[in-house]
Amino acid sequence: MAADAATAAMAAASLCDDLEPATARTRIRDVLAAGTARAGDRVVVGGWVRTGREQGKGSFAFLELSDGSCAATLQVIVDAAVHPLARLTATGTSVLVEGEIKEPPEGTKQNVELKVSRVLEVGEVDAAVYPLPKGKVKLTLEKLRDVVHLRSRTNTIGAVARIRHQLAYASHTFFNENGFLYVHTPIITTSDCEGAGEMFQVTTLFSQAEKTEKELRENPAPSDSEIEAAKFLVKERGDVVAQLKAAKASKQEISAAVDELNRAKEIVSKLEERSKLKPGVPRKDDGSIAFENDFFKRQAFLTVSGQLQVETYACALSSVYTFGPTFRAENSHTSRHLAEFWMVEPEIAFANLQDDMNCAEKYVQYLCKWLLDHCQEDMEFMVKNYDKSAIERLELVSSTPFVRISYTKAVELLKNVTDKKFDNKVEWGIDLASEHERYLTEDIFKKPVIVYNYPKGIKAFYMRLNDDDKTVAAMDVLVPKVGELIGGSQREERLDVLKQRILDAGLPLEPYEWYLDLRRFGSVKHSGFGLGFERMILFATGMENIRDVIPFPRYPGRADL
């Protein structure tokens, strides 16, 4: 077996003889973490120049190099004899260099630096048009959204990206440790989970209409007279065939005439088909759009949630979760809304509302603790530049039991508030606004709060109706800084009740028949929730706008790249 493996390795290596040797690049994070312990080692590092400056009358240059592996930069020293310095110092220049790790002189802020012996690769920058400024000059986060393809090179967006990665990794780790299976739910769906109707439609009807209109411009539909002429030709060809048969012509002659007849019939068929082509989107006789001509033969949308679909797996595999993009066609320009965002949605079979709240609390605390343990440098950057209380908030939430109160009690507490006037009036039956949620967490309890048993009129059809017939077994996890972080519920497992709830929401039953089947065939109590992933990042970092915590923000009027 060993001989076979060696032979295979040699064969694989021989296939790569025409390729450059692999680059054994060392991450800047690893160089800085080792510190002076690696002084004297030769390494290859690559990155982008944050700042560069020539010194010693142009005899050498200092480069502050970042490769995105950490917030800090590595100081790199290049002599003019090694490489032309003017090609290296512009902000944004990429370099791959080889050199020796050295201990810098006393009194400098760096703990190590790299003395370059070879410049292996350079990606030059035209400093006159490069949109990111040099050094301590900063563009606003709003301006950075205009260069979304380059903003990840900045300290802030780089830190957010690393925090986002750690939160995603922590999410998968948490659910894996707790026996959940990861399920990929569809992005294209035929059902509206929320019932709000604010969905992006997936259709090929418009592209088909454009194609048809272009075709009709280049090759207009046949006139009635053209079709009649073609039909007359078919009649003539038919007569010829009949005459040949009557005259007992040769088989060859009759066959040739039949071929001509068939060609004439085919021409008529194509002309009649083209005559039916009409510009615009196809419609039925009543004027409604004929979706049976669409790609999926029915209406389809980008999903607003993977919940309904992941329930099918919960009702077979017990504990599952989905983590993916979701979409809302809500024309909102607030700092808390995106058209495309990510949701983490676990679903648990044989679980009631209490189980759901326990899981949500445990999950949020796990995420906070994970960031404290794995993102100290980036969180310190956020504290210094954006929110002085960010780390304190993580410590509070990770170690403090959440308060649990009913919606009715929450409304009662808010109605008795005298030291603040809310913009939105508080009364039973309203959907709590962000100002109400934050007041509960930041002023009344000063810790996370789970509000449960909401009025049925403001919640989705799938939430379990309580015995009072006024509320549903829903819960929201509210946290300081952002308000609602998680929304969840015990799902309605009773077939007759769920049917009526769908109808009461003004939705047709047909698209939800598969969902109703889960109640027809082995129905089970089950619960779940959704965590807005970008909201979790807002909560953790203290950033103010949700557009700055997602790599490529989509919102009304903007879908860059």
Side-chain angles (χ1 to χ4, degrees), residues 118-154:
R118 284 200 305 160
V119 175
L120 305 175
E121 295 178 16
V122 177
E124 294 188 44
V125 163
D126 183 348
V129 295
Y130 186 63
L132 300 183
K134 176 181 178 179
K136 295 184 178 180
V137 180
K138 294 182 180 179
L139 290 179
T140 64
L141 293 173
E142 186 175 5
K143 286 287 186 184
L144 282 177
R145 291 176 215 139
D146 293 331
V147 285
V148 72
H149 58 298
L150 295 173
R151 69 175 185 166
S152 53
R153 299 186 184 187
T154 63

Side-chain angles (χ1 to χ4, degrees), residues 284 289-294 297-298:
K284 299 178 182 179
I289 295 174
F291 284 106
E292 58 270 21
N293 294 311
D294 208 348
K297 308 301 181 187
R298 62 189 299 179

Side-chain angles (χ1 to χ4, degrees), residues 187-329:
I187 290 175
I188 298 174
T189 180
T190 56
S191 54
D192 182 357
C193 177
E194 299 300 322
E198 295 166 339
M199 303 177 76
F200 288 103
Q201 191 148 339
V202 177
T203 180
T204 59
L205 290 178
F206 293 106
S207 59
Q208 288 173 7
E210 287 179 354
K211 183 179 178 182
T212 299
E213 288 172 8
K214 180 182 178 182
E215 188 177 331
L216 288 173
R217 284 196 302 271
E218 295 174 352
N219 186 12
S223 64
D224 291 343
S225 60
E226 288 175 307
I227 295 174
E228 288 303 317
K231 287 180 176 179
F232 182 75
L233 184 60
V234 169
K235 183 178 182 306
E236 284 186 334
R237 295 283 186 267
D239 291 343
V240 169
V241 171
Q243 290 168 6
L244 288 172
K245 287 181 177 179
K248 296 184 179 179
S250 68
K251 188 175 181 180
Q252 187 175 359
E253 285 180 301
I254 293 174
S255 179
V258 169
D259 287 342
E260 289 187 8
L261 173 61
N262 288 337
R263 282 195 290 273
K265 287 180 177 179
E266 187 177 344
I267 290 171
V268 170
S269 177
K270 288 181 177 179
L271 288 174
E272 287 180 331
E273 185 178 341
R274 284 192 54 75
S275 71
K276 295 176 183 177
L277 291 178
K278 298 288 187 283
V281 174
R283 295 182 178 275
K284 299 178 182 179
D285 293 340
D286 62 2
S288 62
I289 295 174
F291 284 106
E292 58 270 21
N293 294 311
D294 208 348
F295 186 90
F296 293 109
K297 308 301 181 187
R298 62 189 299 179
Q299 281 186 287
F301 309 91
L302 294 179
T303 184
V304 298
S305 168
Q307 178 211 309
L308 299 189
Q309 288 82 2
V310 86
E311 279 188 55
T312 67
Y313 272 70
C315 293
L317 304 176
S318 297
S319 295
V320 296
Y321 73 104
T322 185
F323 182 4
T326 52
F327 308 85
R328 299 257 173 104

Side-chain angles (χ1 to χ4, degrees), residues 333-351:
H333 295 265
T334 76
S335 61
R336 292 289 185 271
H337 289 87
L338 288 167
E340 176 184 304
F341 52 98
W342 286 65
M343 292 286 289
V344 181
E345 298 176 289
E347 198 73 26
I348 319 164
F350 308 102

